[in-house]
């Protein structure tokens, strides 16, 4: 009898020497990769994947392939990059063109992409460098579709949890966002690797870096603070 082990992609039990017992699908990914009802309600109808068929699109921070799946359904030619090795391995099993890379240094030629997707990832990056890299790989006239977290998101997590681990994550996010948006610093090391964004400050930074902000939409607020906001950006 072959001992069963946990499948790293979908956490099922498998006992067939490492072969997944059924075809992979995006529904197999871990639960934390799927937006919950609160997130879906606040994100509303904004789409990070609104590109025409045939468009060459880069998914910056593709995770476990949620937006790659949508891009494929739309007929786009999509590539994804992330630092999550489990997520990348999972996406490869789904047949996606993905690789490990950081947002600040994408292995993509200059001006080679028609579109960029950056969904919930910018808060984990050195955003000035990440935004400059998006500009570099976009062709002139290309579009980036961005969704990011505002201060209402970590406040909601602090209040709702569940668990101390999630609340500590939210506390780090809240403190670093306050520090970054007021005096321009964050906590050192891993303590400072997450923050929230101010819509007005992020818009100013995007424009300074060279993007034209064609649209910016705020999601419903939590206790008066933005939870998420989205932006449609164009490279001149």
């Amino acid at each position: 009898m072959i001992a069963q082990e946990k499948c790293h992609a979908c956490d099922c039990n498998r006992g067939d020497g490492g072969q997944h017992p059924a075809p992979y699908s995006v529904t197999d990914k871990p639960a934390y990769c799927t937006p919950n009802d609160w997130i879906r309600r606040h994100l509303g109808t904004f789409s990070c994947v609104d590109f025409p068929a045939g468009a060459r699109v880069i998914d910056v921070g593709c995770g476990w392939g949620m937006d790659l799946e949508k891009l494929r359904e739309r007929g786009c030619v999509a590539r994804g990059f992330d630092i999550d090795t489990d997520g990348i391995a999972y996406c490869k099993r789904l047949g996606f063109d993905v690789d490990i890379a950081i947002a600040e240094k994408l292995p993509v030629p200059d001006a080679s992409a028609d579109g960029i997707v950056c969904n919930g990832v910018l808060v984990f990056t050195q955003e000035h460098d990440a935004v400059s890299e998006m500009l570099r790989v976009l062709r002139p006239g290309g579009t980036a579709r961005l969704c990011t977290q505002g201060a209402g998101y970590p406040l909601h997590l602090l209040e709702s949890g569940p668990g101390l681990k999630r609340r500590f994550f939210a506390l780090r996010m809240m403190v670093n966002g306050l520090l970054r948006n007021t005096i321009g610093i964050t906590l050192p090391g891993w303590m400072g690797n997450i923050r929230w964004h101010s819509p007005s400050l992020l818009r100013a930074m995007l424009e300074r870096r060279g993007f034209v902000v064609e649209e910016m939409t705020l999601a419903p607020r939590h206790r008066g603070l933005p939870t998420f906001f989205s932006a449609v950006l164009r490279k001149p």
Side-chain angles (χ1 to χ4, degrees):
M1 179 177 180
I2 300 174
Q4 291 199 338
E5 60 176 316
K6 284 291 185 181
C7 170
H8 292 296
C10 68
D11 205 36
C12 69
N13 286 313
R14 65 185 184 194
D16 54 356
Q19 296 298 314
H20 198 275
Y24 280 82
S25 73
V26 174
T27 57
D28 290 328
K29 64 183 181 295
Y32 67 80
C33 297
T34 303
N36 60 32
D37 289 341
W38 186 89
I39 291 176
R40 285 195 295 268
R41 186 166 63 250
H42 284 75
L43 285 178
T45 59
F46 178 77
S47 171
C48 280
V49 298
D50 192 10
F51 296 98
R56 300 163 299 171
V57 182
I58 304 298
D59 188 352
V60 179
C62 62
W64 291 66
M66 179 179 70
D67 287 326
L68 289 173
E69 179 75 8
K70 296 174 183 176
L71 289 166
R72 182 159 64 184
E73 290 172 355
R74 297 178 71 92
C76 299
V77 181
R79 295 184 67 190
F81 299 99
D82 206 291
I83 61 171
D84 183 342
T85 54
D86 286 340
I88 290 295
Y90 174 76
C91 287
K92 285 183 177 180
R93 293 186 182 103
L94 288 173
F96 293 125
D97 182 4
V98 294
D99 211 340
I100 296 171
I102 60 174
E104 299 86 349
K105 192 173 183 180
L106 299 171
V108 179
D110 294 356
S112 61
D114 300 309
I116 295 273
V117 171
C118 187
N119 190 357
V121 174
L122 197 62
V123 293
F124 297 97
T125 72
Q126 299 299 317
E127 61 258 36
H128 293 81
D129 295 335
V131 168
S132 293
E133 189 71 344
M134 293 180 209
L135 270 170
R136 180 188 68 80
V137 304
L138 269 178
R139 64 168 175 79
T143 299
R145 300 183 71 86
L146 165 73
C147 185
T148 193
Q149 296 90 330
Y153 176 73
L155 180 59
H156 166 73
L157 290 184
L158 274 173
E159 294 174 348
S160 64
L164 291 176
K165 184 176 180 180
R166 189 162 182 167
R167 287 188 168 94
F168 181 62
F169 170 85
L171 181 61
R172 287 196 296 120
M173 189 176 190
M174 180 64 77
V175 169
N176 282 301
L178 287 170
L179 291 173
R180 185 61 175 261
N181 290 313
T182 54
I183 58 178
I185 66 168
T186 55
L187 297 174
W190 66 270
M191 288 288 290
N193 65 1
I194 180 68
R195 65 191 66 87
W196 52 269
H197 284 123
S198 156
S200 59
L201 292 179
L202 183 61
R203 181 179 191 129
M205 186 272 283
L206 292 167
E207 291 175 340
R208 285 196 305 271
R209 291 281 154 172
F211 270 117
V212 175
V213 180
E214 295 192 326
E215 179 185 320
M216 185 169 278
T217 305
L218 270 64
R221 295 173 178 264
H222 178 71
R223 300 197 184 279
L225 298 172
T227 52
F228 302 95
F229 58 97
S230 58
V232 180
L233 316 172
R234 179 174 55 82
K235 180 178 178 177

